[in-house]
Amino acid sequence: MAPRQAVRHPVFARLWSKAIGPALEKAGIAEHRRRLLAGLTGEVVEIGAGNGLNFAHYPPEVTRVLAVEPEPDLRALAEQAALTASVPVEVVAGRAERIPAAEESFDAAVVCLTLCSIPNQHAALTELWRVLRPGGELRFFEHVQAESPRMRRVQRAVDATFWPLLAGGCRTGRDTRSAIEAAGFTITELDAFAFPETRVPSPSTPHILGTAVR
Ligand SMILES: C[S@@+](CC[C@H](N)C(=O)[O-])C[C@H]1O[C@@H](n2cnc3c(N)ncnc32)[C@H](O)[C@@H]1O
C-alpha cells in the first residue's frame, strides 16, 4: 500500500522549532549544516526539510532547491524561511518514500537529521536514487547507531519506549551508513563524530556526515 502523504506531529513540530532546533543551533550545528552543503551546485532536493534551517547555508552555485516536508506546521515555517533563503527554494508537501519529482532530475540530494524518522529507510533511499542523476551526490548528516555496545543497549531501550513518541517517530539506533550502502550508493566521504559534545552523551549523540554517490 502507498504511504500516506501527510505526517502529523504537531507537538514535535513545536518542540523542534521552539526548543530542540534552537538548542542545537546554540550548540554549533550551523557549522555542520554548512559542511553538509558546501560545494553543492545545480538542482538539489532536500528531504524532510523541517522548518528550513538549512536554507541559509546553501552555496550560491545551487540554482534551485526542492524542499520536501510532510509535516504541515513545519512546512509552513519552511515556506517562511524560503522567503529569505540564500538561493531559490520551493517548499512542497510529500514524503521520502514517494518523492514528488521525476527520475534523474537532481544533481544532489540532502538528508539532514531525517533518515532517523522515516519509517522505511530503504524505500526512502531507493527514491533518492531514482530522483538523482547518475553520478549525483547524496549529502547526509544523521545521528546513528553508537559504536559502543553499552550505548547501543541504551538506544534499543529508548527506541522501544518513549523516544519515538517524543521525537516525531525518530529512532536513535539506526545503522544509516549501512542502509545508504545497501541502497546502492558508494560512500566517498564520511566523518563520524559526537554532537553535541556533552559530558554525558545522549542516545542521539553519535553522528555521521558525508557524501555518497549514485
Ligand atoms: C529532526 S527533523 C529535521 C528537520 C531538518 N531536516 C533539519 O535539519 O532541521 C526531522 C524531519 O523529518 C521529517 N520526516 C519525518 N518523516 C518523514 C518522511 N516519511 N518523509 C520525509 N520527511 C519526513 C519530519 O517532518 C521533520 O521535518
Side-chain angles (χ1 to χ4, degrees), residues 45 96 99 102-106 109 122-136 138 180-186 212-214:
V45 61
I99 298 171
E103 60 193 48
E104 300 187 5
S105 51
F106 292 97
H122 188 71
L125 288 159
T126 303
E127 270 294 87
L128 285 162
W129 178 279
R130 182 185 68 79
V131 301
L132 272 174
R133 297 186 177 121
L138 171 65
I180 291 170
E181 289 174 325
F185 289 97
T186 304
V213 176
R214 178 210 200 275

Side-chain angles (χ1 to χ4, degrees), residues 16 33 48-50 69-71 74 95-97 112-114 117-118:
W16 180 258
R33 294 187 185 279
E69 173 50 51
E71 209 292 321
L74 289 172
R95 45 189 298 169
E97 299 91 331
C112 180
L113 309 177
T114 293
S117 303
I118 293 171

Side-chain angles (χ1 to χ4, degrees), residues 21-189:
L24 294 178
E25 293 294 319
K26 214 168 161 188
I29 199 172
E31 174 55 17
H32 299 306
R33 294 187 185 279
R34 196 197 54 72
R35 286 201 297 144
L36 172 70
L37 306 176
L40 287 178
T41 59
E43 297 186 276
V44 178
V45 61
E46 181 177 337
I47 302 299
N51 51 336
L53 292 173
N54 279 327
F55 297 169
H57 301 284
Y58 279 98
E61 291 78 15
V62 169
T63 53
R64 170 185 174 237
V65 176
L66 182 72
V68 180
E69 173 50 51
E71 209 292 321
D73 295 346
L74 289 172
R75 190 167 62 248
L77 293 169
E79 284 164 358
Q80 289 301 310
L83 299 176
T84 53
S86 55
V87 299
V89 178
E90 182 189 356
V91 179
V92 295
R95 45 189 298 169
E97 299 91 331
R98 191 192 274 182
I99 298 171
E103 60 193 48
E104 300 187 5
S105 51
F106 292 97
D107 301 297
V110 172
V111 282
C112 180
L113 309 177
T114 293
L115 285 171
C116 55
S117 303
I118 293 171
N120 187 338
Q121 269 195 337
H122 188 71
L125 288 159
T126 303
E127 270 294 87
L128 285 162
W129 178 279
R130 182 185 68 79
V131 301
L132 272 174
R133 297 186 177 121
E137 288 186 358
L138 171 65
R139 297 287 185 95
F140 53 89
F141 173 37
E142 296 287 337
H143 66 81
V144 293
Q145 187 180 66
E147 290 289 327
S148 83
R150 188 190 162 122
M151 182 53 96
R152 283 191 188 185
R153 279 197 295 279
V154 176
Q155 290 179 323
R156 277 196 296 274
V158 302
D159 286 355
T161 52
F162 66 92
W163 195 283
L165 296 174
L166 289 182
C170 165
R171 284 175 169 75
T172 62
R174 285 187 156 175
D175 184 1
T176 299
R177 175 189 179 165
S178 298
I180 291 170
E181 289 174 325
F185 289 97
T186 304
I187 294 181
T188 55
E189 281 180 51

